[in-house]
Amino acid sequence: MDKINIALLGLGNVGGGVFEILKTNIEEIQERSGCDIQISKILVRNPNKKRCVDVPEELITTNPDDIFNDESIKIVVEVMGGIDPAKEYMIKAMKKKKHVVTANKLVIATTGAELIRTAKEEGVRFCYEASVAGGIPIINGINESLTANKIEEIIGIINGTTNYILTKMYLDNMDFGTALKEAQDKGYAEADPTSDVEGFDAVYKLSILTYLAFGKLVNPDLVYREGISKIDAMDIEYAKEFGYVIKLLAIVKDDNGVLELRVHPTMIPERHPLANVNDSFNAILIKGNAVGELMMYGRGAGDLPTGSAVVADVISIVRNVNDPIFKLSESKSGNLKRIRKMEETTSEYYIRITVKDEPGVLGRISSILGAHNVSLLSVIQKGKRQEYVTLVFVTHKTLEGNINKSIEEINSLSFVDKVENIIRVEKME
Ligand code: NAP
Ligand code: HSE
């Protein structure tokens, strides 16, 4: 049996998972790849760190050139994270004619074009199945199994950390900080969890999905983003009262050539399949013009689920090692005209406001909303904090621009203490 040497750049959560899978499933992997895949070098920052996996000392290095200059290494697996030096190392590996596998959505979403170009120029393969939704085979799903379709819409829960936090807040009344700490301890969160909590991670993944499904590389800075840090126990309670669950959704739609892209917390009906995607699980709902609606569900983070996708890419390269088929498709039909401005999008809205408990307050706010064409579905007044009360409005479907104008006026009213939160409500029909 041929032996294929590979190297890992990084031995953290994902690197550890890759190491473990290659060891535990050695027989299946040999049978399916027809090769004996061996890790021959692992780059780390700190060689003295205690690892979760039992790695022979001689494999560990802190010098990346030990990998680039080793001609026996055919595949480099980047599981370090970050842009620098991850991108530089991947390009160096490609220039040394090594195939590259990565789990790094940040680097693909921000510098993917350069990596793709380099891989093509060097005639090596560049695979990134693990970069979106961990163990769910979504990249291959779109690129191969759904390739006959014109994709119309993708709606996904694609960040495991925030889904874990929201689940714990909703089902166990856990506070935000404790839930985040648990997600970090389980290895779901990024090195800097701000990326998860504030929705950046989901934006990177959405950019990659948009590229695959619509052939358009969208700069992540152009994607509307809101994280979950503003979600309060009170919002969760109101959501329950209205029969909704709050999820961080990543949405991309092609509306006759106008692309709508956004990541934000959303109230969705509790009976919708996405509402029942809990803990670190991810799910992606895709609408294709031939296949109709389909949903992929699985673990979106963690060492073994992510390692499963990384090792699958390695095996796929090994199977075609002399046949550089690119998994990356360049811009497709090119019928996309523009990205829709957020104020042109429509939704129903949940608006929570703290106001002074005075006569005429409700009427004044309702009339401002009415003047901006925002019609109300329901209004609740609850709780008294000294002279303050909470008002909650749920609107009918309206333009985001109308909500923005209303909130600007409402904020200027003397009896309004604070517009505490605004959450989009999607009926998902
Ligand atoms: P991690 O636990 O922080 O591990 C990072 C590893 O890279 C560590 O072993 C670290 O070395 C090494 N490293 C970092 N910078 C380095 C440098 N400059 N030189 C040498 N080694 C360096 O990260 P992770 O959670 O495994 O995530 C890795 C990648 O997978 C990220 O791109 C992440 O977005 C992506 N990802 C993660 C998950 C998940 O569930 N965690 C899921 C999907 C994708 P030391 O150990 O010596 O510090
Ligand atoms: N931090 C990411 C998440 C890891 O929580 O989903 C998987 O990409």
Side-chain angles (χ1 to χ4, degrees):
M1 185 179 290
D2 287 344
K3 187 172 149 197
I4 297 268
N5 283 340
I6 72 169
L8 304 187
L9 306 179
L11 188 64
N13 292 305
V14 182
V18 170
F19 187 89
E20 191 58 40
I21 293 168
L22 283 168
K23 194 172 96 184
T24 311
N25 295 348
I26 183 164
E27 280 176 24
E28 289 78 4
I29 291 170
Q30 283 183 348
E31 209 168 289
R32 289 168 196 164
S33 65
C35 287
D36 180 19
I37 299 172
Q38 289 287 336
I39 296 177
S40 62
K41 283 273 176 319
I42 304 176
L43 179 77
V44 295
R45 240 176 335 210
N46 174 4
N48 303 316
K49 200 186 222 178
K50 190 166 164 23
R51 308 279 162 190
C52 300
V53 281
D54 199 9
V55 175
E57 225 174 87
E58 64 274 16
L59 297 192
I60 301 288
T61 179
T62 53
N63 180 2
D65 287 332
D66 287 350
I67 292 171
F68 306 134
N69 295 334
D70 183 337
E71 286 190 1
S72 76
I73 293 172
K74 302 293 179 207
I75 302 171
V76 168
V77 174
E78 186 277 307
V79 280
M80 297 164 50
I83 295 184
D84 294 317
K87 179 188 139 203
E88 178 202 330
Y89 288 178
M90 284 193 269
I91 287 183
K92 267 195 178 164
M94 289 172 184
K95 291 198 180 238
K96 292 279 188 176
K97 305 294 178 201
K98 299 179 196 307
H99 305 284
V100 170
V101 173
T102 183
N104 190 333
K105 54 260 162 177
L106 168 64
V107 91
I108 303 169
T110 53
T111 69
E114 190 181 344
L115 287 162
I116 293 162
R117 203 175 44 246
T118 309
K120 289 196 171 182
E121 283 165 7
E122 301 300 329
V124 295
R125 288 185 62 185
F126 175 51
C127 300
Y128 53 98
E129 180 62 71
S131 65
V132 181
I136 303 177
I138 183 68
I139 308 273
N140 265 310
I142 294 178
N143 250 358
E144 285 168 22
S145 314
L146 296 174
T147 196
N149 283 263
K150 181 171 156 37
I151 306 278
E152 295 167 347
E153 180 178 302
I154 299 178
I155 302 182
I157 295 173
I158 51 177
N159 181 268
T161 303
T162 45
N163 204 39
Y164 187 86
I165 295 171
L166 290 172
T167 302
K168 293 291 164 191
M169 288 175 79
Y170 190 90
L171 293 180
D172 303 338
N173 300 320
M174 195 180 273
D175 67 80
F176 185 95
T178 311
L180 171 60
K181 171 81 176 48
E182 280 195 9
Q184 286 176 298
D185 291 346
K186 286 173 186 280
Y188 305 150
E190 296 302 306
D192 173 5
T194 313
S195 181
D196 297 297
V197 167
E198 296 303 346
F200 292 98
D201 179 84
V203 164
Y204 302 141
K205 292 168 179 168
L206 186 65
S207 298
I208 296 170
L209 292 179
T210 303
Y211 177 51
L212 292 168
F214 301 102
K216 190 158 179 66
L217 266 171
V218 178
N219 182 333
D221 292 341
L222 299 178
V223 180
Y224 179 83
R225 175 192 54 78
E226 256 180 58
I228 64 162
S229 57
K230 270 181 24 196
I231 303 292
D232 185 279
M234 215 185 251
D235 300 315
I236 303 262
E237 281 318 303
Y238 281 113
K240 284 182 186 170
E241 202 167 321
F242 295 128
Y244 294 123
V245 174
I246 303 177
K247 293 290 181 191
L248 183 72
L249 293 190
I251 300 172
V252 56
K253 294 177 186 177
D254 174 3
D255 182 9
N256 292 317
V258 180
L259 205 58
E260 193 172 310
L261 284 130
R262 45 202 168 97
V263 167
H264 51 70
T266 315
M267 289 194 184
I268 54 176
E270 61 193 3
R271 295 175 74 147
H272 190 275
L274 283 176
N276 295 292
V277 174
N278 288 325
D279 296 322
S280 71
F281 280 89
N282 283 193
I284 300 163
L285 192 68
I286 302 182
K287 206 189 272 178
N289 67 341
V291 75
E293 275 194 0
L294 72 83
M295 189 162 122
M296 295 176 94
Y297 168 86
R299 287 223 178 259
D303 54 356
L304 296 177
T306 312
S308 156
V310 170
V311 176
D313 275 346
V314 170
I315 295 172
S316 142
I317 291 172
V318 168
R319 280 174 170 163
N320 302 293
V321 87
N322 294 316
D323 172 21
I325 298 165
F326 298 101
K327 289 189 141 190
L328 300 145
S329 45
E330 287 196 298
S331 187
K332 294 174 192 159
S333 58
N335 67 337
L336 293 171
K337 298 181 204 86
R338 65 179 179 99
I339 294 176
R340 175 165 285 154
K341 290 184 186 144
M342 209 47 202
E343 60 264 33
E344 295 169 354
T345 62
T346 56
S347 179
E348 294 178 13
Y349 294 82
Y350 153 98
I351 306 167
R352 177 165 63 86
I353 312 178
T354 305
V355 294
K356 280 198 184 134
D357 193 10
E358 291 174 4
V361 166
L362 187 56
R364 185 81 183 88
I365 294 177
S366 306
S367 67
I368 289 175
L369 289 165
H372 290 291
N373 256 335
V374 179
S375 130
L376 291 174
L377 188 67
S378 57
V379 182
I380 299 181
Q381 174 175 328
K382 265 200 192 165
K384 193 155 166 92
R385 172 170 60 84
Q386 292 161 349
E387 75 269 39
Y388 291 98
V389 286
T390 298
L391 286 181
V392 170
F393 299 85
V394 179
T395 75
H396 282 292
K397 205 168 195 172
T398 187
L399 264 180
E400 177 126 344
N402 293 345
I403 293 290
N404 295 343
K405 284 182 220 147
S406 308
I407 296 300
E408 207 181 308
E409 262 187 64
I410 291 168
N411 258 324
S412 69
L413 298 171
S414 60
F415 50 77
V416 169
D417 181 45
K418 195 170 174 204
V419 177
E420 306 279 359
N421 214 346
I422 303 170
I423 303 175
R424 293 165 192 82
V425 180
E426 296 277 348
K427 290 277 170 55
M428 311 289 289
E429 284 152 349

